[in-house]
Amino acid sequence: MNNEKKPMDVIASTGRLLIRPLSPADLSALAGILGDPEVMRYSVRGVCDAAATGRFLDWCLASYARDGIGPWALVEKGGTDLIGFCGIGQERVGEVEEINLGYRLARSCWGRGLATEAVQAVLSLALGKQARESVW
């Protein structure tokens, strides 16, 4: 069995972050982030248990396949651990389909400007390379 790690499929990078698609291998770390009541304090869906995190990950993977967009994994450069996600996705607002930006960051990474760095990169990607007219 080959235990060699595959290189990450990087979508974008910043000074400190690599942005890549989420994968099933991220499920455990993602469950820790989405299961943290402080991280999820302002989430309309609330704290996620393991099953809800699995459904969210499945939705992300389906979004990549269907729309080419979705919440993307955040990994600090030089590391391999998932520290959160940031991305865009389709969301119906009234009668209009909009592109919504969302993110979550592990509490251990708060206060370092990483969320701002990720949001700026994702907006640049969405409004530039992906030619979206607007992002909510």
Side-chain angles (χ1 to χ4, degrees):
M1 180 181 215
N2 184 354
N3 289 330
E4 186 176 318
K5 289 191 177 192
K6 290 175 56 179
M8 289 186 276
D9 186 16
V10 176
I11 294 168
S13 66
T14 69
R16 297 178 290 170
L17 297 171
L18 297 175
I19 301 171
R20 63 163 173 79
L22 286 162
S23 77
D26 294 316
L27 183 60
S28 178
L30 187 60
I33 294 166
L34 299 182
D36 183 330
E38 282 299 305
V39 170
M40 301 302 285
R41 173 184 274 181
Y42 301 106
S43 171
V44 295
R45 291 181 182 91
V47 174
C48 293
D49 61 12
T53 301
R55 288 190 299 274
F56 174 73
L57 182 57
D58 289 343
W59 176 83
C60 293
L61 299 176
S63 293
Y64 302 155
R66 182 184 62 245
D67 305 318
I69 59 175
W72 294 305
L74 301 176
V75 177
E76 286 190 88
K77 285 183 175 177
T80 58
D81 295 338
L82 178 77
I83 63 164
F85 66 82
C86 183
I88 56 173
Q90 301 273 7
E91 185 172 324
R92 184 165 279 300
V93 179
E95 298 299 315
V96 179
E97 196 74 23
E98 296 286 353
I99 300 296
N100 179 51
L101 178 126
Y103 65 91
R104 295 285 181 269
L105 192 62
R107 196 172 358 155
S108 62
C109 296
W110 289 5
R112 297 173 37 207
L114 294 172
T116 300
E117 197 170 310
V119 165
Q120 288 171 340
V122 166
L123 283 175
S124 178
L125 180 65
L127 298 172
K129 185 177 176 183
Q130 293 194 335
R132 304 294 172 167
E133 289 183 27
S134 66
V135 175
W136 272 59

